[in-house]
Amino acid sequence: EIVLTQSPGTLSLSPGERATLSCRASQSVSSSYLAWYQQKPGQAPRLLMYGASSRATGIPDRFSGSGSGTDFTLTISRLEPEDFAIYFCQQYGSSLTFGPGTKVDIK
Amino acid sequence: EVQLVQSGAEVKKPGESLKISCKASGYSFTTYWVGWVRQMPGKGLEWMGIIYPGDSNTRYSPSFQGQVTISADKSISTAYLQWSSLKASDTAMYFCARHRCYSSDSCYMDYWGQGTLVTVSS
């Protein structure tokens, strides 16, 4: 099973700042089959990115994804108030596993 | 518009059975995998398994194999998650999600239901 590690556990930033979230896999994720989800309190997760760098429908372009192999990054170029949430990565190159999440909260 | 609407919250006792539902609309139910994700209180996401309603082909995470049953009724575009004997440790939020798959175990989730809270307590 591929284990995903996300860092940092919590990221405290102010609106307008840049957020960089890391997702590392215990082994290479084939074909960059890596997705990112956003979850706000009391809500279902929402797909942000798939294939490591493709934005899902309706996702603003301040969200971008990059990486391959074992190292992946989600970047939010300028944080909006609605972006403060928990972010999960998920690999689907070998079965499906989720990372533990990174909480982005307001500094 | 793709929508997945789940059944309401449940409160059950240990040992009881339960079946929760997820009704899909806005797309062809029989041509996408649909599955379930568990989120225990204050915790992360755990993939449970999926079903292809077109032929009822089903895949389970090893962690959930034998613990739950996933089924679907394509005549009413509804997927189900079922327990035969609940435990207190089954207390969690359960989400259904439409899966976009490259193979039966290579999927991401593009649309999610609102979640069903299951509480198991004596």
Side-chain angles (χ1 to χ4, degrees), chain B residues 5-19:
Chain B
V5 179
Q6 298 183 227
S7 50
E10 301 275 0
V11 179
K12 292 289 191 179
K13 291 181 167 46
E16 292 186 332
S17 63
L18 177 63
K19 192 174 189 178

Side-chain angles (χ1 to χ4, degrees), chain B residues 46-98:
Chain B
E46 300 172 271
W47 181 73
M48 302 177 72
I50 50 174
I51 188 166
Y52 190 76
D55 62 7
S56 295
N57 190 3
T58 309
R59 294 282 186 270
Y60 293 92
S61 162
S63 299
F64 293 93
Q65 179 83 48
Q67 307 304 308
V68 296
T69 301
I70 294 171
S71 61
D73 184 339
K74 60 187 179 183
S75 70
I76 54 172
S77 299
T78 300
Y80 301 96
L81 178 65
Q82 183 174 1
W83 294 260
S84 59
S85 181
L86 286 159
K87 302 184 282 287
S89 56
D90 293 318
T91 295
M93 182 73 80
Y94 293 87
F95 295 101
C96 67
R98 191 180 82 165

